[in-house]
Amino acid sequence: MRLWLERRVPVGTDLRGHLRRLAWALAAGLATNLHFLLRYTQARCSLYHRSSAGAALLPGAVMEPFGALLGWSLYGCFAAAAAMAPLALWYWRSHWRGSRSIYLMRRLPDRRALWRRCLTLPLLGAAAYLAEALLLLLLDLAVYRLCTPAGCLPLDWM
């Protein structure tokens, strides 16, 4: 896999460093999703009345809609996916710096080699971040549906 990726980034690129940054961005997407869990926990706690005897569900208590609780918790994934466009541009511009490998790329018989080296890692990164966003959205939705008391779900919970 590493050799496959090395053939799809500009020559001289620190692939390990780029992959490390991509992994940190995945972790940042997870970290921003903690915002949903915090807001959900607060909203769920507001459904109960606490006393020395324990916690009792408030009569007529309704949970906030899912969209309101979700807020900006997936923005980390979307920001990381959007950051792949400047990375692709940076890869493209790197062929004109230093030894100007663009001259070599233009002489190659495969005309798509330049585009492959500039777009593969950014497209894979964007796909990974969007897949992470979808997975986190489904996980958040499952938490909302399964952990909210049945009588407290609003009619328009989305």
Side-chain angles (χ1 to χ4, degrees), residues 10 18 22 82-93 118 121-123 125:
H18 283 247
L22 294 176
M84 293 297 102
L87 179 64
L89 182 63
W90 188 81
Y91 280 168
W92 184 75
R93 291 284 300 153
C118 295
L121 193 60
L123 287 176

Side-chain angles (χ1 to χ4, degrees), residues 56-78:
L57 193 60
L58 291 170
V62 177
M63 182 68 110
E64 287 184 53
F66 176 73
L69 292 177
L70 190 62
W72 52 266
S73 64
L74 296 177
Y75 284 7
C77 299
F78 297 140

Side-chain angles (χ1 to χ4, degrees), residues 83-141:
M84 293 297 102
L87 179 64
L89 182 63
W90 188 81
Y91 280 168
W92 184 75
R93 291 284 300 153
S94 72
H95 286 90
W96 272 269
R97 284 187 232 123
S99 65
R100 297 184 61 98
S101 61
I102 190 64
Y103 297 126
L104 172 67
M105 297 302 294
R106 286 183 179 164
R107 287 195 320 247
L108 293 176
D110 184 8
R111 291 290 171 190
R112 293 180 303 234
L114 176 64
W115 294 109
R116 192 177 308 118
R117 287 187 179 268
C118 295
L119 295 177
T120 300
L121 193 60
L123 287 176
L124 287 175
Y129 298 134
L130 294 177
E132 178 189 26
L134 179 64
L135 182 67
L136 289 173
L137 177 67
L138 293 175
L139 185 65
D140 292 343
L141 186 59

